């Protein structure tokens, strides 16, 4: 069993839909990253969370440390949001473990 | 520099040859990570450096893989006696410290072993 699980693996949405991507982990962590990888491979860090909630534009990330769960929400989705979204947990040992990613496609 | 720089951007090599990949982190970033991504697969942790501490090598897939970093500067990842299964994009990321701040990724080195 992977230490970091993401769901769904693939997600298709219509423009303007509200999107949620989930990440569950089974190890002790000090922080959690949400990353975005566009076709062509470039990876961008979206958020780093250790508690609570963060918001940037149409993106919202939440984390529940007790439940070992984080969610990434996209409001009013747009085709340019199409990408692979990756959850990565920073373990107490400073090792970073990645989820397998969620491939999002948003259609106009 | 403004971002994390990796070189070369592409490397084609023959099976059995050694290759060396380079990562220049953002100045002042003490944490540096190497990952790889095989075609169609997720990111795989390789090695992590934090300042002058001993690196976490737990992700290196075999003893053919090694990495060095002098202080908080450039890092090199060396793959000896390359095999076809080593073909992947090798990515480097840095952050101010492992426990704080965003990760900044380089654009990767596409390694193809023929």
């Amino acid at each position: 069993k992977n230490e970091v699980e993401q769901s769904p693996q693939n997600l298709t949405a219509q423009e303007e839909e509200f999107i949620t991507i989930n990440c569950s982990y089974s190890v002790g962590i000090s922080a959690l990253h949400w990353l975005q990888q566009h076709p062509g491979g470039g990876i961008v860090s979206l958020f780093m969370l250790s508690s609570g909630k963060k918001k940037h534009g149409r993106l919202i990330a939440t984390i529940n440390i007790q439940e070992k769960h984080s969610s990434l929400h996209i409001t009013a989705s747009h085709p340019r949001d199409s990408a692979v979204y990756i959850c990565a947990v920073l373990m107490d040992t400073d090792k970073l473990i990645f989820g397998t990613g969620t491939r999002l496609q948003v259609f106009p | 520099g403004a971002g994390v720089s990796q070189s070369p951007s592409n490397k084609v090599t023959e099976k059995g040859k050694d290759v060396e990949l380079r990562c220049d982190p953002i100045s002042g970033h003490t944490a540096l990570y190497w990952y790889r991504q095989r075609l169609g697969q997720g990111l795989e942790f390789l090695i992590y450096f934090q300042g002058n501490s001993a690196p976490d090598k737990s992700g290196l897939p075999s003893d053919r893989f090694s990495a060095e970093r002098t202080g908080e500067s450039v890092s090199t990842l060396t793959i000896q006696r390359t095999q076809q299964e080593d073909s992947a994009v090798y990515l480097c990321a840095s952050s101010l410290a492992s426990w704080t701040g965003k990760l900044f990724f380089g654009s990767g080195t596409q390694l193809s072993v023929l």
Side-chain angles (χ1 to χ4, degrees), chain A residues 31-102:
Chain A
L32 181 145
H33 292 265
W34 279 103
L35 310 171
Q36 181 191 54
Q37 184 172 31
H38 275 283
I43 299 175
V44 175
S45 177
L46 298 174
F47 296 104
M48 179 178 175
L49 293 163
S50 55
S51 65
K53 176 178 173 178
K54 285 190 176 179
K55 185 176 189 293
H56 186 259
R58 295 180 295 105
L59 300 177
I60 303 165
T62 63
I63 187 167
N64 185 317
I65 296 293
Q66 288 72 32
E67 294 184 4
K68 295 190 173 182
H69 181 268
S70 175
S71 293
L72 176 69
H73 305 286
I74 306 175
T75 61
S77 59
H78 189 276
R80 65 175 174 267
D81 297 326
S82 298
V84 176
Y85 291 84
I86 302 166
C87 166
V89 299
L90 182 66
M91 294 175 65
D92 295 336
T93 57
D94 288 342
K95 184 176 176 179
L96 200 60
I97 302 176
F98 296 93
T100 52
T102 295

Side-chain angles (χ1 to χ4, degrees), chain B residues 3-59:
Chain B
V4 178
S5 177
Q6 289 187 247
S7 60
S9 54
N10 282 282
K11 177 71 177 178
V12 180
T13 190
E14 293 178 349
K15 179 180 171 182
K17 300 281 190 185
D18 296 352
V19 296
E20 190 173 276
L21 312 180
R22 177 185 168 109
C23 172
D24 281 274
I26 293 173
S27 178
H29 281 194
T30 63
L32 186 149
Y33 297 85
W34 281 101
Y35 310 100
R36 73 177 175 183
Q37 188 170 32
R38 290 173 165 149
L39 187 65
Q41 298 189 21
L43 290 163
E44 179 186 0
F45 167 80
L46 296 178
I47 188 168
Y48 158 67
F49 295 90
Q50 173 59 53
N52 293 315
S53 303
D56 178 350
K57 303 180 180 181
S58 60

Side-chain angles (χ1 to χ4, degrees), chain B residues 60-66 78 80-81:
Chain B
L60 294 177
S62 79
D63 59 9
R64 297 186 294 103
F65 287 72
S66 62
T78 302
Q80 296 177 307
R81 304 180 304 280

